[in-house]
Amino acid sequence: MTGRFGRQPTGWGPRLLARLSKWVHSVAGQVFALQAVIVLLLIAAAAAALVVQARYDIRRDAANRSLAAAEAFAHAPGLPEALRTPNPTAALQPLAEAARRASGVDFLAVMSTEGIRYTDSRPELIGERATGDLARALAGQSFTETFTGEPSDAVRAVVPVRDERGAIIGLVGTGIEVANVSDAVEDQLPLLLGAAAGALLLGTGGAALVSRRLRRQTHGLGAAEMTRMNEHHEAVLHAVREGVLIIDADHLLILANDEARRLLDLPPDPEQRHVGDLGLDPGTAELLTSGRIATDEVHLAGDRLLAVNVRPTEPYAGQPSGTVMTLRDSTELAALSGRAEVARGRLQLLYDAGVRIGTTLDVVRTAEELSEVAVPRFADFTTVELLDPVLRGDEPSLVSGHFTEMRRAAMSGVSTDHPLQPVGDVIRFEVPTAPMASALDAGHAMLAADLNAAMGWRAQDSEGTRLALGYGLHSLISAPLQARGVVLGMANFWRAADTPEPFDEEDLSFAEELAARAAVSIDNARRFTREHAMAVTLQRSLLPRVLPDQNAVDVAFRYLPAKAGVGGDWFDVIPLPGARVALVVGDVVGHGVHAAATMGRLRTAVHNFSTLDLPPDELLGHLDELINRIDQNESGGAAAGGGEGGSEEDGASDGVGESAQITGATCLYAVYDPVSGRCVMASAGHPGPALVSPDGWVEFPELPTGLPLGVGGMPFEAAHFQLPEASRLVLFTDGLVEDRDRDFDTGLRLLGEALSRPGRSPEQACADVLAALLFPAPSDDIALLIADTRRLEADRIAEWEVPGDPSAVSRVRNAGSAQLSAWGLEDIAFTTELILSELITNAIRYGSAPVRVRLLRDRSLIVEVSDGSSTSPHLRYAATTDEGGRGLFLVAQYAERWGTRYTDRGKVIWAELPLAGGGELPGVAEPDLDALEDLAW
């Protein structure tokens, strides 16, 4: 007896083998085998992941337990006192063993700062030095690690022990041995393996059920047989040049081949839709629903005339009869209107290119816009390669051709699966006959209608071109991107199997026009990139790179240039005499190199004016006067340069004239005194600061905001604030809080929310503020300065009231010497006494009451003598016959810095001395301090 596969074998053994072979080669058998393999792989991967996760969790738990035990014992009451006893081991060993057993760790050791064990779970290790790197703990950091070494490998934690002053006096180490951790993992293996076996049984059982169902549906056919049947069906149905529609008895579309979809312009996924929902011509829809027979009836479908035939189908599988319709195109209308349609499409594409290319001043984005415009209406794939100098914004070479490599800057295509090199790769043109090299050498676009015959292109990269041809790329146009006669890059337009028609000569002209328009936009973006880079470089070079050392505030800052062009935002931190500090933030109107240069001039001016130690309102007044004078001088220079001797070209290149003036600038200047906690600030048209209290309360105090700098006409006013200790002062420019899509008040609200969380360092606060307020593409610069204020401790300040009697000089001098001894500054006591004698004597003789003396111990020793007079001392050389006049000279020689600042009721003469010794002048004998009191200034 024979069947479909030939004569059937006899005997139960051969029959069983035959059935197994048939089952294995069937679709159902192959699906079962594939599902079983996938289930096995997934279960194996899951089991391995669970084992790895369990090992990781147990080690992490061991590390956490070790760290918790070490932290608890390190902070236990009485531990610092026990470490200071002559025999720490006797006091700590019982406590350590009890703590180890209670916490469940394998060992707990107390060590000295040199790593010598005072206690250990193994008594023989007491007195031995612990191995491993303990430097992090000695630096004050608690850490955990997987330790490998003697006496055993372990997951251990090391925590420093601090005394009441915060000094590290010992270490506590705890841990769990790795062997115990591994045992815990192995205990879980039976459960994991059992779960994996159960999952495998369930998975294979489910695969068997799916395979059984599939075998019924496929009637036991093999993959090759089903493939042949499907290929035959597809070839017959979709290869014919007639449209075929099959409609069931309910007038639902069952099947439509490709030609029918094209001729009737059917919507996507039309199957199972009612005939009336397919958007057909009413006559065609009525014919399909009527059930009548038609032969070569002419129906209109859009701009096509279709010959339609309709026949009923034979009933099958118990289903009622349906309808089959065939259609064929009987008009040449589409062919006749094709050229006009193509021309209209090309004009529309060029219009869209003019609108879409160059919307930004970014070189890479402009190249991407070119590639996106061309796909899919002109090419299936578009690549854009640019010279490296163009990507950086530099001027490319003026020599045409002879380019051997470019960098791929953009690529677009109808699919992501392609054989072309990705964006960022270097594309080389080393074969002169390749279309890319030929286009660059000729200076115009080149066409390779058939890439199979482009031998130069194939020789460029044999492996890459083989993959491209195998993918279906068959036609190419290479067009150089040129602007002002300079080559910027190359645009390549590719057609693949999705578009079987190759490029022609009309396409070549269109590609050249498209590339020419894009090249102008790319060159504009390149120029902007160069100017923006220059402005950013200038701006960053003029801003402070490292803030000066001072103790008054703890400062963090951020500066971000605008995407559209760097502006003139700036900030500064300036140390002032008397341990004070000045915080400055400002904004120059405009963008570009001129704004950055103006910012540098203003910053320099503020530094110069700050050396005079002026109040904030007076400093802004001097700055306003300076800007007015600069504008007047430059305006006069422009007028003088505009006479007969100057040309238009000179004026354009110089930038002298109205464009060079400072069109407006704002500034906020604040001075903080850590001795009194007092802050004085004044604003010239700049937003006020944010004040953050230690508990996180944020307020924006009202300032008497003056006019911007350069406007003139009104004096500036200062505001005084008494800041609580550990307050936070936040200065910023308006680019942080407002933009086109956000008003100033909304920005202030968001800033207050970002600053309201206490317990963060200034650096963390800066990062949080930018994360909350930063725009995706800021249109203005952003300058942010966050300063945590500090107070100078009372034990670092000494003050005395000085009577008007010259005899009081020695008493104050002796009191100052005693204070220096209390501070441990005996090395500079003599120099300080000398300066005190000179300054107090001068104040008594030439000043007026009240006379006060103040010593401040900061980064340096600050000596201040104040009086009620506004007369200013001057340094001079005394003649050999003069009895006095040498006092201020001695002060200048012995002090590191000295100066005078004026107050509301007098002046303060100050001098700074380094805390270390070195104030003695070489070769100069120590003078008699009592005799110096008779010297005059």
Side-chain angles (χ1 to χ4, degrees), residues 375-705:
V375 176
R377 289 191 287 174
F378 179 65
D380 294 326
F381 294 93
T382 300
T383 61
V384 181
E385 291 79 43
L386 299 176
L387 295 169
D388 278 336
V390 176
L391 289 170
R392 297 191 302 267
D394 297 335
E395 187 76 24
S397 172
L398 297 177
V399 180
S400 299
H402 308 295
F403 298 105
T404 58
E405 62 179 39
M406 294 182 184
R407 191 170 300 277
R408 181 150 291 168
M411 178 170 59
S412 295
V414 293
S415 69
T416 58
D417 179 21
H418 57 79
L420 300 173
Q421 290 178 252
V423 172
D425 274 14
V426 174
I427 311 299
R428 293 180 171 81
F429 316 117
E430 297 174 349
V431 178
T433 56
M436 298 83 165
S438 300
L440 289 172
D441 186 59
H444 57 77
M446 298 296 291
L447 169 65
D450 184 6
L451 287 177
N452 287 283
M455 294 298 124
W457 174 72
R458 300 182 68 172
Q460 180 72 45
D461 180 6
S462 58
E463 179 63 22
T465 54
R466 183 183 64 80
L467 294 175
L469 293 173
Y471 179 81
L473 297 179
H474 61 83
S475 190
L476 166 68
I477 293 179
S478 295
L481 300 173
Q482 301 180 91
R484 301 178 292 109
V486 178
V487 173
L488 306 175
M490 166 73 62
N492 294 301
F493 305 96
W494 310 78
R495 279 186 178 173
D498 294 326
T499 308
E501 297 83 8
F503 289 116
D504 54 24
E505 291 297 330
E506 292 184 0
D507 295 325
L508 184 67
S509 300
F510 173 77
E512 197 158 24
E513 175 67 20
L514 183 61
R517 296 191 178 196
V520 174
S521 297
I522 291 175
D523 189 53
N524 291 337
R526 178 198 62 80
R527 292 185 177 190
F528 172 79
T529 300
R530 180 184 60 183
E531 294 179 2
H532 184 267
M534 292 172 56
V536 169
T537 302
L538 176 61
Q539 177 84 331
R540 293 194 181 279
S541 67
L542 295 175
L543 288 171
R545 298 184 180 180
V546 179
L547 296 181
D549 293 333
Q550 43 78 38
N551 289 337
V553 291
D554 182 15
V555 181
F557 65 90
R558 293 290 189 275
Y559 169 76
L560 296 176
K563 294 293 185 182
V566 66
D569 290 15
W570 55 285
F571 63 91
D572 217 332
V573 177
I574 306 172
L576 297 177
R580 298 170 303 141
V581 65
L583 305 175
V584 194
V585 67
D587 185 2
V588 176
V589 175
H591 293 85
V593 175
H594 172 64
T598 302
M599 178 275 297
R601 298 167 76 177
L602 291 181
R603 179 170 176 254
T604 302
V606 170
H607 264 273
N608 291 336
F609 288 137
S610 68
T611 59
L612 302 176
D613 210 349
L614 299 173
D617 52 342
E618 293 185 22
L619 185 142
L620 292 180
H622 285 287
L623 199 61
D624 181 66
E625 182 182 353
L626 173 66
I627 292 176
N628 286 326
R629 188 162 59 251
I630 291 175
D631 284 346
Q632 292 174 2
N633 293 339
E634 293 186 349
S635 298
E644 298 179 358
S647 65
E648 293 180 2
E649 297 177 354
D650 292 340
S653 61
D654 292 333
V656 175
E658 186 175 347
S659 61
Q661 296 182 12
I662 303 176
T663 56
T666 64
C667 182
L668 177 65
Y669 187 88
V671 176
Y672 173 69
D673 187 352
V675 177
S676 62
R678 189 184 184 202
C679 182
V680 183
M681 61 183 71
S683 171
H686 197 86
L691 292 179
V692 186
S693 63
D695 59 358
W697 174 259
V698 181
E699 63 174 327
F700 297 92
E702 292 290 338
L703 291 183
T705 304

Side-chain angles (χ1 to χ4, degrees), residues 226-292:
M226 295 192 65
T227 301
R228 284 197 302 271
M229 292 177 60
N230 183 68
E231 288 176 349
H232 178 72
H233 172 270
E234 293 291 332
V236 172
L237 184 64
H238 297 289
V240 296
R241 300 307 299 170
E242 284 193 0
V244 177
L245 294 177
I246 298 178
I247 311 296
D248 67 7
D250 296 327
H251 304 140
L252 298 178
L253 179 63
I254 301 301
L255 183 145
N257 70 346
D258 292 344
E259 186 69 7
R261 294 169 187 261
R262 185 183 69 84
L263 294 176
L264 296 176
D265 194 20
L266 296 178
D269 301 323
E271 285 79 11
Q272 300 303 319
R273 292 192 183 187
H274 194 274
V275 170
D277 299 331
L278 297 177
L280 300 177
D281 174 79
T284 305
E286 187 275 332
L287 176 62
L288 287 173
T289 57
S290 66
R292 64 184 178 86

